[in-house]
Amino acid sequence: DADVTQTPRNRITKTGKRIMLECSQTKGHDRMYWYRQDPGLGLRLIYYSFDVKDINKGEISDGYSVSRQAQAKFSLSLESAIPNQTALYFCATSDSQGGPPDTQYFGPGTRLTVL
Amino acid sequence: QKEVEQNSGPLSVPEGAIASLNCTYSDRGSQSFFWYRQYSGKSPELIMSIYSNGDKEDGRFTAQLNKASQYVSLLIRDSQPSDSATYLCAVNKRGNNRLAFGKGNQVVVIP
């Protein structure tokens, strides 16, 4: 089984709809991240969480919210989806307590299309 | 100045040749440096990490770090068609333990 899973893997929705993307991990890592990737713009950080009670905005948090339901689960919500939120979304995890410092491991991604 | 820059355009190399990728960064206090490989439509996959000046080798991959000049490079020896992908350089940001990513360099290995 994959260490970091994301659901759904693909989603097509309409402008104005509320969407939730979910991320789960079995790596036991304490830190989790949400990124979006657009052609030519690279990976941009939306939100990150260093533990269940710690949530931080990234570079492009407007229009997004997150919830860290447990150490292993981190959800990203689009309250009212708009077409320019069409992108590939990745969840990532890292471990502050051991292993190579700062190393992030990515989930398989969610391709979101907003019509 | 961008935090992490990868300025080279797509790189085409013949099979068996060496592919060389470069990355510069702006934060002189950065401490951790990574190369990720990303196939089209797939997630980034960590291939190398480096923390100290000098070279680090792992199989056909060598990462080189020069903190004084603020660059990190990746060499791919004996390039194979399966190496055709986009390579992302990532650098930690001092003080908040987040990674800054470059936009990536596409490598095409020609059989």
Side-chain angles (χ1 to χ4, degrees), chain A residues 6-89:
Chain A
Q6 292 183 234
T7 56
R9 295 293 311 279
N10 289 282
R11 181 71 184 268
I12 300 173
T13 191
K14 295 182 179 180
T15 296
K17 295 291 187 180
R18 184 179 188 274
I19 298 297
M20 179 179 286
L21 308 183
E22 298 185 329
C23 177
S24 296
Q25 52 111 350
T26 59
K27 300 179 78 67
H29 289 175
D30 53 337
R31 297 180 173 184
M32 298 186 73
Y33 310 80
W34 275 105
Y35 292 90
R36 65 177 280 176
Q37 188 174 41
D38 301 90
L41 295 179
L43 280 163
R44 293 182 292 168
L45 184 63
I46 306 172
Y47 271 96
Y48 62 103
S49 170
F50 283 175
D51 65 41
V52 175
K53 295 181 180 179
D54 177 77
I55 302 289
N56 303 280
K57 293 182 178 180
E59 307 168 60
I60 53 163
S61 58
D62 288 349
Y64 301 95
S65 63
V66 291
S67 174
R68 184 84 183 264
Q69 299 96 325
Q71 185 183 38
K73 296 184 182 294
F74 192 35
S75 299
L76 176 72
S77 294
L78 287 68
E79 298 302 326
S80 180
I82 56 177
N84 77 1
Q85 291 177 313
T86 293
L88 191 52
Y89 289 83

Side-chain angles (χ1 to χ4, degrees), chain B residues 3 11 16 27 35 37 43 68 72 74 82 92 94 103 108 111:
Chain B
E3 293 176 294
L11 178 65
D27 186 346
W35 284 99
R37 177 178 63 199
S43 61
V72 57
L74 180 71
S82 60
N92 93 310
R94 176 179 48 179
K103 294 183 179 180
V108 178

Side-chain angles (χ1 to χ4, degrees), chain B residues 24 32 47 59 92 95 104:
Chain B
T24 58
S32 305
I47 55 171
N92 93 310

Side-chain angles (χ1 to χ4, degrees), chain A residues 31 33 35 37 40 43 45 48 50 90 100-104 106-107 111, chain B residues 32 34 36 38 41-44 46 51 88 92 96-99 101 103:
Chain A
R31 297 180 173 184
Y33 310 80
Y35 292 90
Q37 188 174 41
L43 280 163
L45 184 63
Y48 62 103
F50 283 175
F90 290 107
D102 305 317
T103 304
Q104 293 187 18
F106 286 80
R111 185 169 296 282
Chain B
S32 305
F34 306 89
Y36 286 83
Q38 187 177 25
K42 304 296 185 182
S43 61
L46 179 70
Y51 304 95
L88 305 174
N92 93 310
N96 58 22
N97 296 312
R98 292 184 285 149
L99 291 182
F101 286 85
K103 294 183 179 180

